[in-house]
Amino acid sequence: MNQRQILFTVVSLVLLAVLAFAPELGNDYTTSFMINLLLYANLATVWGIFCGTTRLVSLATAAFFGVGCYAVAVWSEVLPWPVLLVAAALAGGLLALVIGVCTLRLSGMYFVIFTFGVAEMIRQLVTWYESTIQGSVGRYIFLEVTPAQIYWQLLALLAVVWVLGAWLARSRLGFALRLIGEDETAARNCGINTVAVKLIVFVATSMVMAVVGAIVAPRWTYIEPSIAFNSLISFQVVVMALLGGIALYFGPVLGVVPMVLAFEIISKYFPDQFSLVLGAIFLFVVYLLPGGFLAVPKRLRRGRE
């Protein structure tokens, strides 16, 4: 590693160590706020690892997140917590495998529309099953998991995701994925099995999304489809990742902090206009801040030249 990479690694380790003490130093509100930060930091990072590299915009984040939530809601009474997380990851991976086989040959707006449609279809199917078969709208979760434990698990998961992101950036698999993002036809002509490469990373990142949903599920106590499969989660993750920048695996995290702060303010003062404001922020990012915060230094250097 060069000096810049070593410095980045040291700073990341120090930051993670400092963040580990946040629940002990803050109160219930700050812990709740930090949980939101880590929740979206995980989702935005893994979204950026796949979508930022392949340049495919997925709106299925809510589907994998919701599957993780419902895995805990359904199996929490029969499985211990570590096994629950594994079960949630496997459920998310299986769903991603099915979706990936059907969609990863698509590109452009077709992939966007299909992933959004699949997420909505899953939400409607779960709603129908819960109301018609189970006879109730949602499910209760009774687990002795404290907010601090949720926070530490999300922080540990983020550390694992960053390590995997750093490894992928230097691996042959990551190189193949970047080549696919640049020109899929050229990648195919170079002998790369483009569908297999995309499917592997898509399934892996989707499993992380499911685990995030499983970790935060006990926070709500009561889970229903409108909470677990909320389509706003998918759109918020996209906005955060684009705002931070998807050129590097850690870029999306840069957009999480300002957006979570903004969402807190919007939810408090403009709750009925949340979707409208979210759309305005998305337009701002796309038209006025292409490349996100990661691209700002380059634009400033060009302006000086």
Side-chain angles (χ1 to χ4, degrees):
M1 292 192 298
N2 56 38
Q3 291 183 348
R4 182 177 297 181
Q5 292 172 336
I6 294 174
L7 178 61
F8 177 79
T9 301
V10 172
V11 171
S12 298
L13 292 174
V14 172
L15 182 59
L16 289 171
V18 172
L19 288 175
F21 293 97
E24 303 295 336
L25 300 176
N27 52 33
D28 291 342
Y29 174 78
T30 57
T31 300
S32 177
F33 178 77
M34 294 299 293
I35 287 175
N36 281 337
L37 284 179
L38 292 178
L39 185 159
Y40 284 107
N42 277 289
L43 293 179
T45 300
V46 292
W47 186 93
I49 287 175
F50 176 77
C51 297
T53 308
T54 60
R55 300 182 183 180
L56 294 172
V57 178
S58 170
L59 293 178
T61 301
F64 305 119
F65 180 84
V67 164
C69 290
Y70 263 86
V72 173
V74 173
W75 297 320
S76 60
E77 296 183 359
V78 295
L79 296 176
W81 184 248
V83 179
L84 264 179
L85 296 181
V86 174
L90 293 176
L94 180 61
L95 176 62
L97 183 63
V98 174
I99 294 176
V101 169
C102 297
T103 64
L104 289 178
R105 296 182 185 275
L106 303 175
S107 60
M109 67 176 182
Y110 299 104
F111 182 81
V112 178
I113 294 172
F114 198 99
T115 53
F116 179 73
V118 167
E120 283 298 297
M121 182 186 71
I122 293 173
R123 182 172 69 87
Q124 295 297 333
L125 285 174
V126 173
T127 301
W128 172 83
Y129 180 85
E130 291 291 274
S131 60
T132 305
I133 306 300
Q134 291 295 119
S136 62
V137 178
R139 297 172 182 263
Y140 288 95
I141 300 176
F142 300 106
L143 289 173
E144 295 182 359
V145 181
T146 66
Q149 291 172 332
I150 293 174
Y151 173 86
W152 286 320
Q153 290 176 65
L154 289 174
L155 183 62
L157 181 61
L158 182 61
V160 172
V161 168
W162 274 41
V163 170
L164 292 177
W167 170 81
L168 188 64
R170 296 170 176 80
S171 67
R172 295 180 63 183
L173 179 63
F175 175 77
L177 202 64
R178 290 192 297 274
L179 185 57
I180 291 171
E182 292 294 331
D183 191 329
E184 186 165 351
T185 302
R188 196 179 298 113
N189 291 335
C190 290
I192 297 174
N193 189 335
T194 57
V195 175
V197 170
K198 289 189 292 184
L199 189 61
I200 291 171
V201 182
F202 183 66
V203 170
T205 54
S206 300
M207 291 174 72
V208 175
M209 293 177 180
V211 173
V212 173
I215 291 174
V216 301
R219 182 186 183 195
W220 289 306
T221 305
Y222 179 76
I223 294 292
E224 62 181 37
S226 61
I227 296 174
F229 297 95
N230 188 349
S231 60
L232 279 178
I233 294 174
S234 297
F235 290 100
Q236 287 173 308
V237 167
V238 173
V239 173
M240 290 174 179
L242 293 179
L243 179 62
I246 53 179
L248 297 172
Y249 68 91
F250 58 83
V253 175
L254 301 177
V256 170
V257 176
M259 289 308 300
V260 170
L261 287 170
F263 292 153
E264 288 284 325
I265 296 173
I266 295 168
S267 300
K268 182 177 180 179
Y269 296 103
F270 309 101
D272 297 330
Q273 291 79 32
F274 187 89
S275 298
L276 178 63
V277 176
L278 179 63
I281 295 173
F282 179 76
L283 293 176
F284 170 82
V285 173
V286 171
Y287 287 103
L288 299 180
L289 200 63
F293 290 139
L294 284 179
V296 171
K298 293 182 180 179
R299 295 175 67 181
L300 291 176
R301 285 196 296 268
R302 290 175 184 174
R304 291 173 183 174
E305 296 175 355

